[in-house]
Amino acid sequence: MVFGLEKFYSRLSFNSNNSNAQKDAFEQILQDFDISTKDLQEIITKFGADMNKGLASSEETLAMIGSYVAGAPTGEETGRYLALDLGGTNLRVCGFTLLGHGEYTVHQQKYVVSDELKKGDIRYLCDFIADCVDNFITENGSESVGSDLQLGFTFSFPVLQTAINRGTVLRWTKGFNCSGAIGKDIVVLLQDAFLRKNVCVQIAALVNDTVGTLMAHAYKYPETSMGVILGTGTNAAYLEKLTNITKWERESTSTEMVVNMEWGAFDNERKVLPLTVHDNKLDRESINPHKQTYEKLISGMYLGEIARNAILYLVDRMLLFKGFSSDEMNKQWGLDTAYISAISGDHTSDLTETKHILESVMQIPQTTLTDRQMVKEISIAVGRRAARLSVCGMSAVIAQQGRMGMDSLVAIDGSVYEFFPKFEEYMTEALVELYGDNGRRIKFALARDGSGLGAAIIAMMSHKTSKANAGINSTQKDTSD
């Protein structure tokens, strides 16, 4: 029987008219969402194998993209750097002063990107960004900037990155559809706007937000093993030996590089991930069927929808809410993950918060305490499964790094990890099942704002590398002369 189910049944009173049918259907749902230790082990094994395939070839499900970020910060770096974050309603400009010893100060400003800019010519968007950066520099002390301020650019749209500061736009998402950008280098387009506007800024790095999460946390905690996003979407990045990235054909003076895994696509082949009918329904009705399979099981965009499907499965069988639903509950994506998070954490005796969400927000005509208890347990089961599955990818990375059984620190950013009740507890529970006391040596830390601090740190590292290479080239030229 599912973990803790006997204890749960002892306090739940099923409808006497159909108690056996209600109990059996409910138990089946919870069993479907339960992931055994053996399942976890099989998933980790396939994860490791798929990682190595992705490191060897660019045609694999796990992309394992070389980020061009070589090595990690020491925490002793100093200097002033800018970070730019474009990927939604707002443009965010940040100024970071790195103080060393893992410390820093930050000033930041948000600027609203209008719909006209999102859908107009890319030149207008880049000019707007340049004006915002110019305004930010002026308001935050331009006299101390000089003419060589380095910037890290987090561009949260699909790009083909060809260098640390080069990337071709593949397509637009998130409501953007600027003309003149597809197939062009976004860094060159924005750098041209800086030149037109006489803004003395050099784009030193084009940054993936997951890589930024790793770098931001490693600045203060150099022992950080990997960076993970567990929010609306999910991804991971870690430091890999360059010799293991056998598909990498470019020369490098570094022995290590950060790999952007793009792990949301893990097991798109559907070989090991334990998909339920509720997951299959979500996938079938999504805009990208049979893609991002791992992401659809563990990220915030989807957890509420999975729970909604399971709830309606019981409603359709007259086993929940007396068979009544609502327009809100029937609507795709109608049950937000924030709602099931709140329900999971409702500890009132009559589940008052759950009652409010179901009856006032979701417009269910009436709920009993048993109804609310069942919805709560479904919400917990969906979240617990996500936590247990998320450690499979982390375990595979730590094993790849040869650090299993050693102290490891995983930096995690995202609302699911931060706000879903007991999410970290469920992760640790799975690790202890897998590795005993060694599982407790894998620690997690909340790492907010990787797209800001991480971008600034990567700009710093890129700038240092450029200066070092320029020095080497200059010495070689002097020697040849």
Side-chain angles (χ1 to χ4, degrees), residues 413-432:
D413 190 10
S415 55
V416 171
Y417 172 74
E418 183 173 3
F419 297 117
F420 203 101
K422 295 187 177 182
F423 200 87
E424 182 177 318
E425 180 181 321
Y426 298 142
M427 293 166 70
T428 301
E429 169 192 273
L431 288 171
V432 172

Side-chain angles (χ1 to χ4, degrees), residues 73 154 207-221 224 226-230 235-237 258 410-414 445-455 457-458:
T154 301
V207 180
N208 170 273
D209 58 353
T210 313
V211 176
T213 295
L214 171 59
M215 293 293 103
H217 204 261
Y219 181 65
K220 189 172 181 67
Y221 304 99
T224 305
M226 63 184 299
V228 176
I229 303 293
L230 282 172
N235 195 13
V258 176
V410 180
I412 307 178
D413 190 10
L446 181 63
R448 296 189 186 95
D449 197 28
S451 61
L453 176 60
I457 289 171
I458 294 170

Side-chain angles (χ1 to χ4, degrees), residues 3 5-6 77-78 88 98 201 254 259 261 311 337 395 452 478:
F3 175 80
L5 206 54
E6 300 97 327
E77 295 88 352
T78 59
L98 305 180
V201 167
S254 177
V259 170
M261 296 179 69
I311 289 167
T337 298
S395 297
D478 289 344

Side-chain angles (χ1 to χ4, degrees), residues 322-444:
K322 297 181 180 179
F324 289 98
S325 186
S326 67
D327 289 343
E328 289 299 316
M329 186 65 82
N330 292 340
K331 188 186 304 178
Q332 186 183 24
W333 314 113
L335 185 63
D336 194 273
T337 298
Y339 296 155
I340 71 165
S341 179
I343 290 170
S344 298
D346 186 357
H347 300 299
T348 56
S349 59
D350 61 349
L351 299 182
T352 305
E353 178 66 14
T354 303
K355 180 181 174 71
H356 169 74
I357 292 171
L358 292 176
E359 297 183 9
S360 299
V361 179
M362 300 305 298
Q363 299 292 300
I364 300 297
Q366 186 179 15
T367 65
T368 65
L369 178 57
T370 297
D371 288 335
R372 299 193 291 274
Q373 289 173 327
M374 291 172 69
V375 170
K376 177 178 177 179
E377 293 303 314
I378 289 171
S379 299
I380 289 172
V382 170
R384 180 171 177 264
R385 182 185 69 161
R388 291 170 69 81
L389 287 174
S390 70
V391 302
C392 293
M394 299 178 205
S395 297
V397 169
I398 291 169
Q400 173 75 10
Q401 293 175 318
R403 297 188 57 83
M404 194 58 72
M406 303 167 61
D407 290 338
S408 295
L409 181 60
V410 180
I412 307 178
D413 190 10
S415 55
V416 171
Y417 172 74
E418 183 173 3
F419 297 117
F420 203 101
K422 295 187 177 182
F423 200 87
E424 182 177 318
E425 180 181 321
Y426 298 142
M427 293 166 70
T428 301
E429 169 192 273
L431 288 171
V432 172
E433 287 178 26
L434 288 162
Y435 307 114
D437 287 340
N438 280 335
R440 300 188 189 279
R441 302 188 72 171
I442 301 172
K443 303 294 185 183
F444 310 109

Side-chain angles (χ1 to χ4, degrees), residues 262-276:
E262 294 294 341
W263 78 0
F266 169 67
D267 201 35
N268 280 349
E269 308 88 351
R270 297 170 161 238
K271 291 184 177 178
V272 294
L273 288 175
L275 299 168
T276 69

Side-chain angles (χ1 to χ4, degrees), residues 93 113 165 174 183 228 293 357 374 426 461:
V93 185
V113 182
N165 61 346
K174 306 176 187 179
V228 176
T293 304
I357 292 171
M374 291 172 69
Y426 298 142
M461 295 171 65

